[in-house]
């Protein structure tokens, strides 16, 4: 039995799909469907049961779930603008710690979602080390603090226990994330409705639209999760990106080319983001490579092309001719 928290979310539903493609349906999906549109992500997928996140802790603490193969923990509050610190810490730190303690006590493999936001604006680099970590909002801090807890307890672990520090993931099933969706999805929505992609003007010594990110396609993320599920004993925290940083200008031009129309519009850089914005991210992948992962990553060109084809197909299926 696999436990998949966040199973109706963006990354979680793609992991569930990959498990199904392996013939695995003995999965318990844990999620919060208060934002009920997420249910669409798991329509047509197969799993054994659904448990609301508020009930799940009691289920495991009371021993109601038997013979757990692995816990894939991807449930969290991912809104980086959330201002309620208690809510964020309850969801991303305390909840995660409770599940992690259970997995350690019962010798259950545990794979969880961390975030590249722990690196802050990236002034010290992007290597999985305490010296590089400088969170600048409560979301990043909640992820950072759990990573620190994990480091303190890794010596107690006797089965796979892995944190995946995601960079900028994009791909199908993220439509419900709103302002937290990937820049690829947001740019597609802009070009679909207004034939323009809005990018920030330069700030400091950064030119217009030249802010850059390490964009990773969801298929590669799922491939890495499956690698750790299949691997013998592994433990630690690993960056999950492509190791290549690409500018928003490049992203926009690729998307315009795939869509066949559109232009870039540069808008003023927001005052409230000055000094609080990642102008550049790029995953250091030494730890992941040392763990044995050697698959090639999807190029941004191919990933956007494939994603745009999927988005256009979904819009046509839903009767929206403005694609």
């Amino acid at each position: 039995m696999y436990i998949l928290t966040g199973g109706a979310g963006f990354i979680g539903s793609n992991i569930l799909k990959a498990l199904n493609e392996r013939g695995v349906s003995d999965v318990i999906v844990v999620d919060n469907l208060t934002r009920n549109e997420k249910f669409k992500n798991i329509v047509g997928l197969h799993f054994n049961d659904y448990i609301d996140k508020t009930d799940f802790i009691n289920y495991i603490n009371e021993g109601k779930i038997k013979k757990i193969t692995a816990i894939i923990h991807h449930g969290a509050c991912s809104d980086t603008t959330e201002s309620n610190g208690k809510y964020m810490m309850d969801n991303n730190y305390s909840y995660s710690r409770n599940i992690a303690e259970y997995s350690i006590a019962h010798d259950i493999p545990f794979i969880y979602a961390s975030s590249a936001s722990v690196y802050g604006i990236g002034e010290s680099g992007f290597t999985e080390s305490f010296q590089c970590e400088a969170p600048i909002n409560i979301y990043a801090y909640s992820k950072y603090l759990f990573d620190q807890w994990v480091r303190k307890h890794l010596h107690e672990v006797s089965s796979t226990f892995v944190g995946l520090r995601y960079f900028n993931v994009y791909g199908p099933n993220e439509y419900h994330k709103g302002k937290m969706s990937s820049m690829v999805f947001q740019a597609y929505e802009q070009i679909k409705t207004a034939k323009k992609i809005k990018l920030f003007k330069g700030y400091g010594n950064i030119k217009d639209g030249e802010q850059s990110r390490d964009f990773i396609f969801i298929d590669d993320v799922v491939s890495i999760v499956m690698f750790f599920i299949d691997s013998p004993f592994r433990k630690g925290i690993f960056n999950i990106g492509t190791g290549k940083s690409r500018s928003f200008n490049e992203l926009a031009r690729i998307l315009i080319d795939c869509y066949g129309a559109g232009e870039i519009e540069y808008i003023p850089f927001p005052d409230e983001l000055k000094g609080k914005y990642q102008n550049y991210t790029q995953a250091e992948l030494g730890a992941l490579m040392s763990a044995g992962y050697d698959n090639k990553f999807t190029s941004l060109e191919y990933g956007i092309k494939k994603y745009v084809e999927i988005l256009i197909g979904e819009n046509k299926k839903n009767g929206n001719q403005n694609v």
Side-chain angles (χ1 to χ4, degrees):
M1 176 75 71
Y2 287 90
I3 305 295
L4 178 59
T5 74
F10 168 35
I11 296 177
S13 62
N14 279 282
I15 293 171
L16 178 59
K17 180 174 179 286
L19 288 170
N20 282 182
E21 288 171 349
R22 290 181 165 199
V24 176
S25 60
D26 195 15
V27 181
I28 291 178
V29 169
V30 180
D31 212 308
N32 174 8
L33 289 179
T34 301
R35 297 185 64 180
N36 64 62
E37 66 269 26
K38 285 195 298 183
F39 85 88
K40 298 174 185 176
N41 287 343
I42 52 177
V43 170
L45 298 180
H46 303 284
F47 50 96
N48 190 59
D49 202 0
Y50 172 88
I51 302 174
D52 187 88
K53 61 158 289 190
T54 57
D55 300 323
F56 174 64
I57 295 298
N58 288 335
Y59 268 73
I60 59 171
N61 287 341
E62 294 171 8
K64 293 181 178 179
I65 305 174
K66 308 295 185 182
K67 297 181 180 179
I68 300 174
T69 304
I71 297 174
I72 307 167
H73 178 43
H74 280 60
C77 174
S78 60
D79 187 348
T80 61
T81 64
E82 173 60 58
S83 60
N84 187 329
K86 183 181 186 305
Y87 175 80
M88 187 69 78
M89 294 301 288
D90 285 347
N91 276 270
N92 293 2
Y93 176 69
S94 299
Y95 195 87
S96 298
R97 189 188 67 197
N98 199 321
I99 300 172
E101 288 172 342
Y102 181 87
S103 73
I104 293 172
H106 294 83
D107 195 25
I108 298 169
F110 183 74
I111 300 170
Y112 75 93
S114 182
S115 168
S117 67
V118 302
Y119 297 119
I121 60 175
E123 290 180 315
S124 299
F126 301 93
T127 301
E128 304 95 326
S129 66
F130 181 76
Q131 292 72 22
C132 294
E133 296 160 6
I136 57 175
N137 57 46
I138 189 63
Y139 166 76
Y141 182 72
S142 68
K143 291 293 190 178
Y144 161 90
L145 192 63
F146 183 62
D147 283 351
Q148 304 316 312
W149 184 92
V150 167
R151 284 173 171 147
K152 291 177 183 177
H153 292 272
L154 278 178
H155 69 280
E156 304 171 22
V157 170
S158 54
S159 59
T160 290
F161 199 105
V162 170
L164 305 180
R165 205 167 261 181
Y166 293 129
F167 279 67
N168 286 73
V169 186
Y170 67 98
N173 293 6
E174 60 168 317
Y175 59 89
H176 64 280
K177 293 174 66 67
K179 60 188 176 183
M180 293 299 112
S181 60
S182 73
M183 183 60 191
V184 178
F185 181 77
Q186 292 188 47
Y188 171 81
E189 288 295 301
Q190 291 176 22
I191 204 170
K192 182 181 73 172
T193 57
K195 299 299 185 288
K196 287 184 179 180
I197 297 174
K198 294 181 179 181
L199 303 179
F200 288 147
K201 290 183 177 180
Y203 169 69
N205 59 358
I206 305 295
K207 295 180 180 179
D208 294 353
E210 285 300 301
Q211 301 88 353
S212 66
R213 297 283 187 276
D214 190 332
F215 299 102
I216 180 167
F217 192 45
I218 187 64
D219 288 2
D220 295 322
V221 166
V222 171
S223 173
I224 293 168
V225 172
M226 293 299 155
F227 164 78
F228 281 112
I229 287 174
D230 293 340
S231 296
F233 181 48
R234 296 282 189 278
K235 66 179 180 179
I237 297 170
F238 301 89
N239 284 337
I240 308 301
T242 65
K244 294 181 180 179
S245 191
R246 304 290 297 270
S247 73
F248 289 128
N249 278 328
E250 290 178 288
L251 182 155
R253 290 170 188 143
I254 294 167
L255 201 150
I256 289 168
D257 183 60
C258 291
Y259 193 84
E263 60 184 29
I264 299 171
E265 177 185 350
Y266 297 106
I267 61 175
F269 193 94
D271 288 337
E272 64 270 20
L273 292 181
K274 292 179 179 178
K276 302 177 182 179
Y277 187 78
Q278 291 178 319
N279 283 316
Y280 168 87
T281 66
Q282 180 169 291
E284 294 290 337
L285 297 180
L288 182 63
M289 300 298 106
S290 295
Y293 188 80
D294 59 2
N295 288 2
K296 291 184 178 180
F297 291 99
T298 304
S299 69
L300 188 61
E301 287 80 1
Y302 182 77
I304 289 178
K305 180 178 183 293
K306 183 174 180 180
Y307 191 17
V308 167
E309 289 172 352
I310 292 170
L311 289 170
I312 289 175
E314 288 175 348
N315 276 289
K316 288 181 177 178
K317 182 178 178 181
N318 294 330
N320 183 356
Q321 298 305 311
N322 182 25
V323 296

